[in-house]
Amino acid sequence: MSAVEVPETPQLSTKQERVGWYFYDWANSAFSTTVVTVFLGPYLTSIAEKAAGCVDDACDDAVIHPLGIAIAPGALFPYTVSLSVFLTVFVLPVVGAVADRSPRKKQLLALFAYLGAAATAGMLFLTGDRYLLGAALFLVANISFGASVVVYNSFLPQISSEEDRDRVSSFGWAFGYLGGGLLLLLNVVAVLMKDSLGMSTGEVARYSIVSAGLWWAGFTTIPLIRLRNRPLLEPPTAGVNLLTDGFRQLWHTLRSLKAYPLTLFFLVAYLVYNDGIQTVIALASQYGTKELQLDDDVLVPTILMVQFLAFAGALLLGWLAKRYGAWKTLLGSLVLWTVIIVIAYFLPAKEPLLFVALGGGIGLVLGGSQALSRSLFSQLIPKGREGEYFGIYEISDKGTSWLGPLLFGLAYDTTRSYRVAIISLLVFFVVGFVALLAVPIRKAIEQAGNTPPARL
């Protein structure tokens, strides 16, 4: 592939740099897949159930008391996810504003990536009834994860043109699902061989979580070598503290969104429907284990299959976007998500083949809907302000949703029914579809000062 000139900068992006950018998706997807989607939810729930004194999964009236608040053990993980994202609401936009004002964007990526990886690896000590330790480490890891992806996403407009952005973004997501799927494959082998390894399911889960931290840290070195820091469009003011300036710029960003109302409208639509997507990803394992009564021997390979199908799905929806337009393709994916939630509600327990079929549908639509959302949003951002805008965008990206887990947790805490909890997520896809349908996307891109691609 020939070098692509970054708009309004004399520097070029090379194929080597873009491949390096893809590798951070490869690195961090291990956290999304192995930790958030598969192992941590059921494992942390089992730790909480042990602390509550549950016997043989009989937890109907059991409670735990984190920070003095009485909750059901099964609600701990969704509540922890929700709290972590509530905190990112304050952290990520500031991180984005700092990234736009720092000539050392790569170093910021390294800081947050290695901090998150260290917290994930620290779950090696998550044993016994230490559910508070698990919740605290997840808070650090998930917030650091989101902050690193803010910086990572801000590179996208610098390494791709408007016409090429859907393809580059889709390939990044596909590469990420391939990497996350490969590590999950290794962990699936460990799950299937647990008896011969002399390990319990809980021990395999704990070591799998730790492996994601090591994978994340190890492969992060590749983008740190290949990505290049670029000169700032606006040099920072001499003597101004970057963090203080980041808070000041965040306030300026929020006020400036009034000048780009269609960008704001798209962002609201995205935050709604992607909250639903991320909640399904984060809590699918818990739903399959606790409600559908599926063993890890069924659940984990199915989620592994989802990762590899998401690789193909991201490329497929990227191709459809090139043919029919990203906006139309994205709307179609939200219709499919709505169908998936309805099917999940009616799915009978102890029917592994039906669960596998549902997982196949999720895989085909998962990667593409996220990749196209990212590439569309990148075209709604004024040039030179990618970090601060992606800081707001990242509030509901890659596992950093909070309304969905909160609603799921409240629904389960109130009814003790996972089916009621899963069907409650339907509102995110319906409202998100209607809101996205109302965005005049070509006008929104022009309003941000960018050139719309030929097809939308």
Side-chain angles (χ1 to χ4, degrees):
M1 184 182 299
S2 60
V4 178
E5 186 174 355
V6 179
E8 298 189 9
T9 177
Q11 296 195 29
L12 299 177
S13 173
T14 63
K15 180 179 180 180
Q16 183 182 44
E17 184 180 27
R18 287 192 292 276
V19 170
W21 186 79
Y22 298 149
F23 257 102
Y24 190 65
D25 244 325
W26 173 285
N28 69 49
S29 289
F31 176 77
S32 297
T33 303
T34 292
V35 179
V36 179
T37 305
V38 181
F39 288 105
L40 186 58
Y43 183 66
L44 186 58
T45 300
S46 69
I47 295 286
E49 288 175 346
K50 182 177 181 180
C54 298
V55 179
D56 297 328
D57 292 328
C59 286
D60 290 344
D61 300 317
V63 295
I64 53 175
H65 298 84
L67 305 179
I69 303 171
I71 65 171
L76 175 65
F77 182 61
Y79 281 164
T80 303
V81 173
S82 184
L83 176 59
S84 73
V85 179
F86 175 75
L87 296 175
T88 66
V89 170
F90 304 98
V91 174
L92 301 194
V94 176
V95 169
V98 170
D100 282 339
R101 274 150 184 75
S102 172
R104 296 180 178 85
K105 189 181 291 189
K106 275 203 316 182
Q107 286 77 1
L108 280 175
L109 177 62
L111 170 65
F112 294 116
Y114 289 135
L115 178 60
T120 304
M123 293 187 194
L124 176 67
F125 304 103
L126 181 55
T127 57
D129 58 359
R130 302 173 182 170
Y131 66 89
L132 284 178
L133 173 64
L137 287 173
F138 179 74
L139 286 174
V140 174
N142 209 33
I143 292 170
S144 299
F145 173 85
S148 72
V149 177
V150 167
V151 182
Y152 164 71
N153 281 342
S154 70
F155 278 98
L156 177 59
Q158 298 176 337
I159 64 172
S160 61
S161 66
E162 287 87 347
E163 292 293 337
D164 205 34
R165 203 157 298 164
D166 289 340
R167 187 191 63 81
V168 172
S169 182
S170 295
F171 200 86
W173 274 103
F175 206 58
Y177 278 111
L178 192 61
L182 180 58
L183 178 63
L184 186 57
L185 174 61
L186 298 176
N187 290 325
V188 166
V189 173
V191 169
L192 298 177
M193 296 179 60
K194 62 180 183 293
D195 293 334
S196 60
L197 293 173
M199 299 170 66
S200 66
T201 300
E203 288 174 324
V204 172
R206 182 161 58 95
Y207 286 118
S208 295
I209 291 168
V210 172
S211 74
L214 299 178
W215 179 284
W216 185 2
F219 282 105
T220 293
T221 58
I222 297 176
L224 293 180
I225 291 172
R226 294 192 172 186
L227 287 172
R228 293 184 290 114
N229 289 323
R230 286 170 166 77
L232 302 177
L233 294 181
E234 297 181 10
T237 305
V240 174
N241 181 276
L242 277 179
L243 183 59
T244 303
D245 196 36
F247 278 102
R248 184 183 300 111
Q249 184 57 38
L250 169 60
W251 176 244
H252 176 72
T253 301
L254 295 175
R255 288 190 303 169
S256 72
L257 275 171
K258 293 187 295 184
Y260 306 102
L262 297 180
T263 298
L264 176 60
F265 203 92
F266 176 90
L267 185 62
V268 170
Y270 170 78
L271 293 178
V272 172
Y273 71 73
N274 197 57
D275 217 297
I277 293 175
Q278 296 304 320
T279 305
V280 172
I281 295 171
L283 300 176
S285 181
Q286 187 174 355
Y287 183 74
T289 301
K290 300 299 180 180
E291 179 62 36
L292 301 182
Q293 302 175 37
L294 298 172
D295 296 332
D296 286 344
D297 292 352
V298 173
L299 188 68
V300 178
T302 300
I303 296 177
L304 172 63
M305 176 197 69
V306 169
Q307 302 308 306
F308 289 108
L309 284 177
F311 167 78
L315 298 179
L316 173 62
L317 265 67
W319 177 81
L320 290 173
K322 186 175 181 180
R323 185 176 180 87
Y324 300 106
W327 180 65
K328 295 175 184 176
T329 304
L330 183 56
L331 285 168
S333 75
L334 296 183
V335 173
L336 294 178
W337 274 111
T338 302
V339 173
I340 285 169
I341 291 296
V342 173
I343 293 175
Y345 175 78
F346 289 105
L347 202 65
K350 298 181 180 180
E351 291 290 344
L353 290 180
L354 294 178
F355 182 76
V356 170
L358 182 66
I362 291 175
L364 288 176
V365 74
L366 175 60
S369 57
Q370 295 173 317
L372 295 180
S373 296
R374 179 171 64 182
S375 61
L376 269 178
F377 185 70
S378 72
Q379 299 182 62
L380 305 178
I381 300 172
K383 289 183 175 64
R385 302 174 67 181
E386 294 84 5
E388 59 190 82
Y389 275 77
F390 268 117
I392 300 172
Y393 174 91
E394 187 61 24
I395 289 171
S396 184
D397 191 25
K398 274 197 166 184
T400 54
S401 58
W402 70 282
L403 284 175
L406 178 61
L407 180 59
F408 187 99
L410 288 172
Y412 175 76
D413 210 8
T414 303
T415 67
R416 299 297 173 113
S417 169
Y418 283 106
R419 292 190 185 274
V420 173
I422 200 71
I423 200 65
S424 69
L425 302 180
L426 199 63
V427 64
F428 293 99
F429 297 103
V430 174
V431 173
F433 175 88
V434 173
L436 181 62
L437 184 64
V439 178
I441 199 70
R442 184 176 298 276
K443 183 179 179 180
I445 295 173
E446 293 172 344
Q447 188 181 80
N450 298 315
T451 302
R455 290 185 182 274
L456 287 170

